[in-house]
Amino acid sequence: MTNPVMVLDAMKPIQGLYKAAYQSGLDPELLELVHLRASQINGCAACVDSGGRSLKKAGTSDERMWSVVAWREAPYFTDAERAALALAEAMTRLADRPDAVSDELWDEVSDHFDEKQLSGLILWISMTNFFNRLNTTVREPAGATWG
């Protein structure tokens, strides 16, 4: 099936959400790191592929990119990036625990990001999960491009 975003001509409003997330003041590399992690969890081949390509384009080292899946054990991430990756995992795995985004996690991300940045991060992770669900449902292949 053709991706529903294309069938329903929904790319323009989605691009508005992307623009809003980028205007939050977050480093684009950080956004791509959390995008890749959520996409790995959800098994979205198209987003894992595009996320890796975006990270390479942003100048991310191979070590950092390969280690996103094991970010807790890898030495390549800042405390702020670790907080963002933890938030991405919690928001992606909502059903895994009764308190999906704990107060402790919220306190941690709030130590690193202001309200505008947190808003951008939450919006970005939500959009990643949105696309992961669309792409896995219609079996969007890795390397596919839209538009």
Side-chain angles (χ1 to χ4, degrees), residues 69-88:
V69 72
W71 63 269
R72 284 179 179 82
E73 294 79 25
Y76 309 115
F77 304 99
T78 67
D79 289 343
E81 290 168 337
R82 290 175 187 285
L85 288 162
L87 181 63

Side-chain angles (χ1 to χ4, degrees), residues 10-142:
M11 200 52 153
K12 188 173 181 176
I14 290 168
Q15 287 173 336
L17 293 172
Y18 274 112
K19 183 178 177 182
Y22 273 104
Q23 290 175 340
S24 68
L26 291 168
D27 182 345
E29 185 177 6
L30 174 73
L31 294 174
E32 293 302 335
L33 288 170
V34 298
H35 170 80
L36 179 58
R37 183 64 192 125
S39 299
Q40 289 170 336
I41 292 167
N42 287 324
C44 180
C47 289
V48 167
D49 180 73
S50 69
R53 291 174 192 277
S54 294
L55 281 166
K56 288 299 287 182
K57 188 175 178 181
T60 302
S61 70
D62 289 341
E63 291 81 11
R64 278 172 53 87
M65 189 170 59
W66 296 330
S67 298
V68 168
V69 72
W71 63 269
R72 284 179 179 82
E73 294 79 25
Y76 309 115
F77 304 99
T78 67
D79 289 343
E81 290 168 337
R82 290 175 187 285
L85 288 162
L87 181 63
E89 286 188 1
M91 288 179 61
T92 300
R93 295 179 164 150
L94 293 173
D96 286 357
R97 55 194 156 287
D99 188 13
V101 180
S102 68
D103 290 343
E104 179 180 272
L105 176 54
W106 190 252
D107 288 344
E108 177 67 20
V109 294
S110 297
D111 286 345
H112 298 284
F113 304 103
D114 64 26
E115 186 174 36
K116 186 174 181 180
Q117 292 169 323
L118 277 170
S119 296
L121 189 57
I122 292 166
L123 181 61
W124 188 263
I125 295 165
S126 298
M127 290 183 350
T128 296
N129 278 284
F130 166 76
F131 274 107
N132 291 166
R133 282 151 177 76
L134 281 173
N135 290 336
T136 57
T137 299
V138 299
R139 297 184 181 169
E140 192 79 34

